[in-house]
Amino acid sequence: MLKGKVAVVTGSTSGIGLGIARALGRAGADLVLNGFGDAATIEALRSSLESECGVRVAYHGADLATAGGVESLIRHAEATLGGVDVLVNNAGIQYVAPIEEFPVERWDAVLAINLSAVFHGTRCALPGMKARGWGRIVNIASAHGLVASAQKSAYVAAKHGVVGLTKVTALETAGTGVTCNAICPGWVLTPLVQKQVDALAAAKGLDDAAARAELLGAKQPSGQFVTPEQLGALAVFLCSDAAAQMTGAALPMDGAWTAQ
């Protein structure tokens, strides 16, 4: 379905981003991976995706905390694979503290990665998409782009901003062949979330299963984690012809978290 298209997925060396990149690759898209990690491990991942999916896979370790870093990622995709047809803005970081105790530098870092990088990626990729008359921008927001939680002021502000930016992008690209949508996941069992499970288990003397159940029970009525594979399948759908008139949407995949 996406053969001949090039997809850039930020934060794609693990977790949600990797699940989405793999799904897009299986749908035929050439890939540009981005993220941090051991160089040998990333190269093994790049090579395995290339073999598994039968597509070209490149990697660029841009630091998305700066406008220049994001620009370099998009330019690298254009130079090595010929353009950016699909942009998945997935990279994100988290910090938790009450507002009055929230370190200013942490606020700036969360907003830079979770919101400003989405803007910079979008502004850099849009000219090429518009020129080709086709493009798909998929922003990975969060259930926290729709509702709030205490002690997550920067993350919630950034993810609400991503949902708003998604809507503006959709309005500005309507009729051009470019769409922009946001996916709003609830709890996804990524390595980062597993660390939260481990911390909860240690703090309360719980085993892994009980800690997972407690974490889910506080927010996610389904009692089940969303999977990277499910998010990848939704991203592929948003890139399909069936979704050509779906733009500006914020789509929850959260086990009824935001239905409450």
Side-chain angles (χ1 to χ4, degrees):
M1 182 180 71
L2 294 176
K3 186 173 179 59
K5 305 296 186 185
V6 175
V8 173
V9 185
T10 67
S12 50
T13 51
S14 66
I16 292 172
L18 177 56
I20 292 173
R22 178 172 281 112
L24 293 170
R26 287 175 175 171
D30 294 322
L31 301 170
V32 178
L33 305 178
N34 160 261
F36 298 117
D38 174 74
T41 301
I42 291 172
E43 172 53 27
L45 173 63
R46 188 206 63 77
S47 179
S48 68
L49 280 175
E50 206 165 55
S51 298
E52 173 191 340
C53 301
V55 299
R56 297 178 296 169
V57 182
Y59 167 77
H60 193 278
D63 179 2
L64 304 184
T66 68
V70 181
E71 290 169 5
S72 71
L73 173 62
I74 301 301
R75 302 301 170 234
H76 178 76
E78 293 171 340
T80 57
L81 297 181
V84 179
D85 302 293
V86 176
L87 173 63
V88 181
N89 289 302
N90 166 75
I93 59 173
Q94 174 66 285
Y95 190 83
V96 177
I99 292 172
E100 68 273 21
E101 299 173 14
F102 211 98
V104 171
E105 66 275 12
R106 292 290 188 173
W107 171 275
D108 291 343
V110 171
L111 269 289
I113 296 292
N114 293 23
L115 179 56
S116 293
V118 179
F119 164 73
H120 292 305
T122 299
R123 72 173 176 83
C124 292
L126 270 181
M129 291 179 176
K130 287 182 175 180
R132 290 185 293 275
W134 194 95
R136 297 290 186 267
I137 299 172
V138 180
N139 295 326
I140 307 305
S142 167
H144 284 117
L146 303 172
V147 297
S149 290
Q151 300 194 358
K152 296 183 178 180
S153 55
Y155 190 83
V156 170
K159 293 302 187 179
H160 272 67
V162 168
V163 171
L165 178 58
T166 297
K167 294 178 180 181
V168 173
T169 305
L171 287 172
E172 292 188 5
T173 57
T176 66
V178 178
T179 68
C180 182
N181 293 285
I183 300 175
C184 301
W187 287 119
V188 184
L189 192 57
T190 62
L192 287 175
V193 170
Q194 184 60 49
K195 288 182 180 179
Q196 294 184 56
V197 172
D198 294 342
L200 183 62
K204 296 196 172 183
L206 303 172
D207 63 21
D208 185 73
R212 290 184 182 191
E214 182 162 331
L215 186 74
L216 288 166
K219 298 285 187 180
Q220 202 146 300
S222 70
Q224 299 176 12
F225 286 102
V226 179
T227 69
E229 292 75 17
Q230 290 166 341
L231 294 167
L234 180 52
V236 169
F237 169 75
L238 291 173
C239 293
S240 72
D241 289 341
Q245 289 302 312
M246 180 179 287
T247 190
L251 304 169
M253 186 176 279
D254 61 11
W257 179 334
T258 56
Q260 301 180 82

